Amino acid sequence: MSLIKSNFMKHKVQLLAAFVILSLAAVGGCSKNDYSTSPAPQTGTPGGGTNSSQVVMKSMAFSPANITVAAGTTVTWTNEDPYQHTVTSGTPGAPDGKFDSGLLNQNATFSYKFDTKGTFNYYCRPHQQVMKGTVTVQ
């Protein structure tokens, strides 16, 4: 009986150790240090302007995800989630460096003035598989 109990305890300890290691790896993978907090170089005009449009980050989504604005419009993103988000131009795995908010805490905002016509993709770096959007400038 003591051999069975000894083997059981050994496996229990191994499972607990594996759980702790995996938990630490998961927490480390979501570390704030994985994402730069300083914005990328801007090619448009950050902030300002008389025309404006609003996008909200809530429930792990941009709302609205796709907007159309006139050239010269400033778009402002507001993070209403308790999670940090970014507004990063380009597509997941291929940021284009036009704009990047850095990590935004809850209630923080980021604004960018779109002077050039075209379609601009953006995403959230920490949640790039679920948070994507576009700004179409006419």
Side-chain angles (χ1 to χ4, degrees):
M1 180 71 169
S2 65
L3 180 61
I4 292 172
K5 187 175 179 181
S6 174
N7 281 339
F8 174 76
M9 291 303 293
K10 180 180 174 183
H11 289 292
K12 188 175 178 180
V13 169
Q14 289 172 337
L15 285 172
L16 180 60
F19 175 77
V20 169
I21 291 169
L22 289 173
S23 296
L24 290 173
V27 169
C30 293
S31 156
K32 181 177 178 179
N33 294 331
D34 288 345
Y35 306 102
S36 169
T37 58
S38 56
Q42 305 290 310
T43 57
T45 308
T50 56
N51 298 329
S52 66
S53 187
Q54 303 292 315
V55 177
V56 173
M57 294 172 266
K58 188 171 184 176
S59 300
M60 299 290 285
F62 292 109
S63 181
N66 306 303
I67 62 171
T68 300
V69 299
T73 299
T74 297
V75 177
T76 299
W77 289 264
T78 302
N79 182 7
E80 292 185 0
D81 269 340
Y83 321 106
Q84 291 182 318
H85 294 301
T86 70
V87 181
T88 304
S89 63
T91 56
D96 62 20
K98 287 183 177 65
F99 54 87
D100 190 331
S101 64
L103 288 168
L104 298 172
N105 292 318
Q106 187 174 25
N107 299 318
T109 62
F110 170 73
S111 296
Y112 186 81
K113 184 176 179 184
F114 289 87
D115 290 323
T116 308
K117 292 181 180 182
T119 300
F120 301 89
N121 296 310
Y122 66 91
Y123 65 101
C124 172
R125 283 183 283 136
H127 311 107
Q128 57 191 303
Q129 297 307 315
V130 294
M131 292 184 70
K132 302 172 191 171
T134 59
V135 176
T136 301
V137 183
Q138 298 179 335

